[in-house]
Amino acid sequence: MLKKRIIVCLDVKDGRTTKGVKFLNNVDIGDPVEMASEYYRQGVDELVFYDIIASARGRGPILDLISKVASQVFIPFCVGGGIGSVEDIRSTILAGAEKVSLNSQAVKNPSIITEGARIFGNQCIVLGMDAARDEEMPSGYRVYINGGRVKTDLDALAWAKKAVELGAGEIVLNSMDADGTKNGYEINLTRMIAENVSVPVIASGGGGTPEHLADVLTNGKADAALIATMVHSGQYTVGGIKEELQKKDIPVRTAL
């Protein structure tokens, strides 16, 4: 059985790690380089670094900071935020990332998924999707861009399928309704996407307890769970979460 992955997300704004609730009221919580090093020490499977204001400000990725983070971790490292061209993908990978997450820029220019996958391989191209409940949409969920600030006409399920057709090798699915609430993942949304695409789906938004991760990894059919607040707060460690998941017979990677 494939092991489930635990992924820590660092939302970065102006060079500092930040955290908010439902994309609002972000507060500074630390240095991303130091935090990356600590989560690597704790045994996290992968790290995701999101520059949450790059697209809104119309600029590219912060390569020097990405390089500093990459120097601290020897696990898959995914970077998102402001990556709008093949050259941005190339420079981000050269700075030390194994994967790039395309969110707003993929909606604005879907061909970047295809070009990125053709040049660097599907495994390097991750679709980042911010979705919120909307009864007007066929699936019940609408896609938002620019850090959740701008709503699109895209249905979440339709866009997930389209992105995979275009070449995305993985999807990070963030529920805007659950984001930062620590009340649990959006199980219905996660399961719907996971059951309808052929690539791994990473659940994001709402993780507050190990039980929440267990729920989305089993009932939500997610291949991985992304966490932030629950470890940033110091309430849990990555190792402690993995121990709890093992007790529930959920296969996870453990330290050698």
Side-chain angles (χ1 to χ4, degrees):
M1 184 182 290
L2 282 176
K3 290 188 166 49
K4 302 289 189 177
R5 290 171 288 152
I6 307 301
I7 302 172
V8 169
C9 177
L10 301 176
D11 285 334
V12 177
K13 178 181 180 183
D14 298 325
R16 299 284 292 177
T17 307
T18 183
K19 197 70 194 95
V21 177
K22 298 185 179 181
F23 287 51
L24 299 171
N25 304 318
N26 285 76
V27 294
D28 184 319
I29 58 171
D31 173 27
V33 180
E34 291 176 2
M35 294 175 75
S37 178
E38 171 59 19
Y39 293 131
Y40 174 66
R41 189 189 66 76
Q42 289 184 19
V44 73
D45 296 312
E46 296 186 22
L47 197 70
V48 174
F49 172 112
Y50 285 137
D51 186 331
I52 62 171
I53 53 173
S55 290
R57 289 185 178 174
R59 63 161 170 74
I62 317 172
L63 298 176
D64 60 335
L65 185 56
I66 292 166
S67 180
K68 287 175 184 175
V69 172
S71 72
Q72 298 298 312
V73 298
F74 304 94
I75 50 176
F77 175 39
C78 179
V79 172
I83 298 171
S85 67
V86 168
E87 278 310 308
D88 285 339
I89 296 173
R90 180 177 284 110
S91 60
T92 301
I93 291 172
L94 288 173
E98 277 80 21
K99 308 176 187 180
V100 296
S101 178
L102 304 174
N103 189 323
S104 304
Q105 301 300 330
V107 169
K108 296 170 186 175
N109 174 27
S111 66
I112 190 176
I113 299 174
T114 306
E115 279 298 286
R118 181 179 65 80
I119 296 169
F120 304 102
N122 299 65
Q123 77 285 351
C124 290
I125 306 300
V126 179
L127 177 73
M129 186 197 308
D130 295 318
R133 289 188 205 88
D134 190 326
E135 293 178 358
E136 293 179 8
M137 293 285 110
S139 71
Y141 297 88
R142 183 187 294 271
V143 175
Y144 284 71
I145 59 171
N146 288 9
R149 297 173 184 85
V150 178
K151 78 176 185 177
T152 73
D153 293 328
L154 293 173
D155 175 77
L157 178 57
W159 176 228
K161 289 179 175 179
K162 180 66 174 175
V164 172
E165 286 177 15
L166 291 170
E170 196 166 67
I171 296 174
V172 174
L173 175 61
N174 188 52
S175 164
M176 293 175 60
D177 301 299
D179 182 76
T181 63
K182 298 191 289 183
N183 291 330
Y185 295 89
E186 179 81 74
I187 300 298
N188 292 334
L189 171 63
T190 307
R191 183 171 55 235
M192 175 179 64
I193 302 294
E195 289 181 340
N196 283 280
V197 297
S198 57
V199 302
V201 172
I202 300 164
S204 171
T209 67
E211 287 72 22
H212 292 155
L213 277 79
D215 192 18
V216 82
L217 292 170
T218 54
N219 296 325
K221 306 290 183 72
D223 296 274
L226 188 145
I227 54 176
T229 308
M230 64 188 291
V231 285
H232 295 341
S233 67
Q235 186 177 5
Y236 295 97
T237 65
V238 174
I241 293 168
K242 287 187 173 185
E243 284 180 16
E244 291 300 316
L245 294 176
Q246 280 186 304
K247 290 176 186 175
K248 299 177 186 297
D249 296 323
I250 295 171
V252 292
R253 294 186 181 96
T254 52
L256 295 174

